[in-house]
Amino acid sequence: VMNLRLVMENSMKYGVLICIRCHDYRRHDIYLSTLLYLLVPCHLFVAYIIELGAAQHAKGALSCIKRSDSTPTEDPLPDSRSFQATWYTIAWAHGINATFCLLVTTYTVYYHIHHPLIGTICQIHAIIVWLKSCSYAFTNRDLRHAYLLPQTPSSLPEIYSQCPYPRNVTISNLAYFWWAPTLVYQPVYPRSPSIRWLFVAKRIAESLGLSMFIWLASAQYAAPVLRNSLDKLQTMDIASILERVMKLSTISLIIWLAGFFAIFQSVLNALAELMHFGDREFYTDWWNSPSVGNYWRTWNKPVYHFMRRHIYSPLVGRGYSSGFASTMVFVFSGFLHELLVGVPTHNILGVAFLGMMVQLPMIAITAPLEKVKGVNGKVIGNSIFWISFCLVGQPLAALLYFFAWQGKYGSVSRAKI
């Protein structure tokens, strides 16, 4: 009933704000975004070329080891410096390729793509390809090490034996990883036996319907609240700003939940079904999180697995503390969040980065609540999570970036209220 009252109040106050032709996108935004969509995946092909050369060198190195009758635990090649220099060259080649992919997209979006939604889509695509390129390089490095030192105890999963290195370095193998709904490369993934086309159709219908809902909710409900908050921010009316943040929290939460369901439940499951991808755990029950840390471990499993596999675990394995490794994960995540929000809006404010850094003390505060016996600790932790999630996080960040956008460009829509 309360939501229905808000709908009626919004309609009586603003009328219908939906306007298909009112969005201020430019023709060259479409051209540039299409060009980026076609060119960015080429960096994955470059990573394949680099790995193809590395695989050939690894075959030659293994042949040299066998001819010299040296044991795997000893110096594998007579010319160890030349051998190590080759691997450093491969690592630098991967680093330059992945970084160039992200830099070109970031530069193009920040300076040449005006519409923030189009820029955000371009940034998301580039970051996904960047993370996949990094994972492809890191995993193949580990596989090369196991290949050259076969008698060294290895922790490679048993499923990897179905496609051992260097047989995995093929175009078809990379193409599957490109489209698979995961950010962590494996030579082989669990596969489902067949495609359920009705399941795919349902997931696509869900994603389309939710996308339409997000557009309607953003234009009809979120945009008026944001615009009506500008004068309060200019005069630094703290009480009014807090009132606007709380008013914005409801619609921002609804939009976020719709977007979450559309991506993690609909799009990723549809893609997984088409790719015969067997691992469908893209999220768990993050809404029941007894702490802030539990939320970050459960709401976005693909990113969580990447961070744990390629940042957290390597740092801990090299002797760093778990606290330091977690800090580096959130520093890296904050950098990505700023790229996703600050670059498309053409305002590098650092708010998204700072928001990720604030998570560290909140994780430390709520972590002991997970260990409290009974339900009281978990209820308190879950309450802290939802308050920070609904009131402090998304609404405030959206308000600040919208204010910066308005200060730089004016209205993002030609529709007048």
Side-chain angles (χ1 to χ4, degrees):
V1 175
M2 288 296 295
N3 290 333
L4 181 60
R5 186 190 68 81
L6 292 175
V7 170
M8 295 177 62
E9 180 185 352
N10 177 275
S11 178
M12 294 171 61
K13 185 175 182 180
Y14 300 111
V16 178
L17 301 178
I18 308 302
C19 179
I20 298 176
R21 297 183 179 181
C22 294
H23 293 279
D24 188 20
Y25 68 87
R26 303 167 184 177
R27 183 172 298 179
H28 77 271
D29 289 352
I30 304 298
Y31 293 156
L32 287 176
S33 61
T34 303
L35 187 63
L36 285 174
Y37 180 80
L38 295 175
L39 292 180
V40 164
C42 293
H43 290 275
L44 277 172
F45 179 75
V46 174
Y48 162 73
I49 297 298
I50 296 170
E51 278 304 320
L52 195 62
Q56 294 299 322
H57 188 270
K59 290 179 182 178
L62 186 63
S63 299
C64 184
I65 292 173
K66 292 179 179 179
R67 286 197 303 269
S68 62
D69 293 326
S70 62
T71 61
T73 56
E74 296 176 353
D75 189 7
L77 290 176
D79 189 1
S80 181
R81 289 185 178 180
S82 175
F83 180 75
Q84 293 295 333
T86 302
W87 301 132
Y88 286 130
T89 302
I90 292 169
W92 273 101
H94 274 302
I96 292 171
N97 173 55
T99 304
F100 188 70
C101 163
L102 194 59
L103 284 178
V104 169
T105 302
T106 300
Y107 174 84
T108 304
V109 170
Y110 190 83
Y111 289 104
H112 300 290
I113 294 182
H114 174 73
H115 199 277
L117 177 59
I118 297 175
T120 300
I121 294 173
C122 292
Q123 282 293 102
I124 291 174
H125 182 228
I127 289 175
I128 289 174
V129 172
W130 182 50
L131 295 177
K132 283 178 177 278
S133 298
C134 292
S135 183
Y136 187 71
F138 289 145
T139 304
N140 275 301
R141 176 202 60 190
D142 297 338
L143 294 175
R144 273 197 306 275
H145 184 270
Y147 174 73
L148 292 172
L149 303 175
Q151 295 183 9
T152 302
S154 175
S155 58
L156 295 179
E158 183 64 27
I159 194 174
Y160 284 21
S161 61
Q162 299 178 19
C163 186
Y165 186 87
R167 281 168 45 193
N168 66 298
V169 185
T170 63
I171 285 290
S172 59
N173 186 275
L174 178 61
Y176 182 86
F177 173 57
W178 174 24
W179 285 99
T182 179
L183 297 175
V184 177
Y185 173 72
Q186 293 181 191
V188 183
Y189 295 95
R191 306 289 284 271
S192 56
S194 60
I195 298 176
R196 297 170 294 172
W197 291 106
L198 182 59
F199 177 87
V200 174
K202 288 180 179 179
R203 301 290 82 78
I204 292 176
E206 288 172 356
S207 62
L208 293 176
L210 287 169
S211 298
M212 183 66 67
F213 170 79
I214 291 170
W215 172 57
L216 295 175
S218 300
Q220 185 68 37
Y221 297 98
V225 177
L226 288 169
R227 292 193 182 97
N228 292 338
S229 305
L230 295 177
D231 58 334
K232 308 299 187 297
L233 283 170
Q234 288 175 337
T235 59
M236 291 303 295
D237 186 347
I238 303 300
S240 297
I241 291 174
L242 292 176
E243 184 270 335
R244 290 296 171 179
V245 168
M246 288 187 285
K247 188 173 183 179
L248 185 62
S249 64
T250 302
I251 188 61
S252 68
L253 176 62
I254 293 173
I255 292 172
W256 190 92
L257 290 175
F260 170 83
F261 192 93
I263 294 174
F264 290 91
Q265 178 62 27
S266 302
V267 174
L268 292 185
N269 270 292
L271 185 59
E273 189 70 22
L274 291 172
M275 300 297 295
H276 295 271
F277 193 76
D279 185 3
R280 307 292 176 88
E281 191 181 56
F282 303 119
Y283 64 93
T284 54
D285 58 339
W286 57 266
W287 47 88
N288 293 325
S289 297
S291 68
V292 176
N294 184 266
Y295 162 75
W296 288 108
R297 292 190 297 269
T298 55
W299 90 272
N300 188 339
K301 285 288 190 177
V303 171
Y304 168 73
H305 289 317
F306 179 93
M307 298 293 186
R308 186 172 184 84
R309 172 68 180 83
H310 296 303
I311 299 179
Y312 182 87
S313 294
L315 287 174
V316 172
R318 285 169 171 79
Y320 293 96
S321 66
S322 60
F324 176 81
S326 297
T327 301
M328 290 299 100
V329 166
F330 276 90
V331 168
F332 182 71
S333 181
F335 168 73
L336 294 183
H337 277 76
E338 193 64 39
L339 286 181
L340 281 174
V341 182
V343 172
T345 57
H346 312 284
N347 287 286
I348 308 296
L349 305 179
V351 173
F353 179 83
L354 182 61
M356 294 304 299
M357 294 299 98
V358 171
Q359 302 303 309
L360 291 170
M362 294 187 65
I363 290 173
I365 292 171
T366 57
L369 297 174
E370 293 187 72
K371 303 176 183 178
V372 175
K373 294 182 179 180
V375 298
N376 291 335
K378 294 180 174 59
V379 170
I380 295 173
N382 187 253
S383 300
I384 294 174
F385 155 68
W386 275 109
I387 291 172
S388 64
F389 182 76
C390 295
L391 295 180
V392 182
Q394 299 175 50
L396 184 59
L399 198 59
L400 292 174
Y401 280 102
F402 184 79
F403 180 75
W405 171 271
Q406 291 286 348
K408 194 170 186 179
Y409 295 107
S411 178
V412 295
S413 173
R414 294 192 182 97
K416 295 182 179 181
I417 299 176

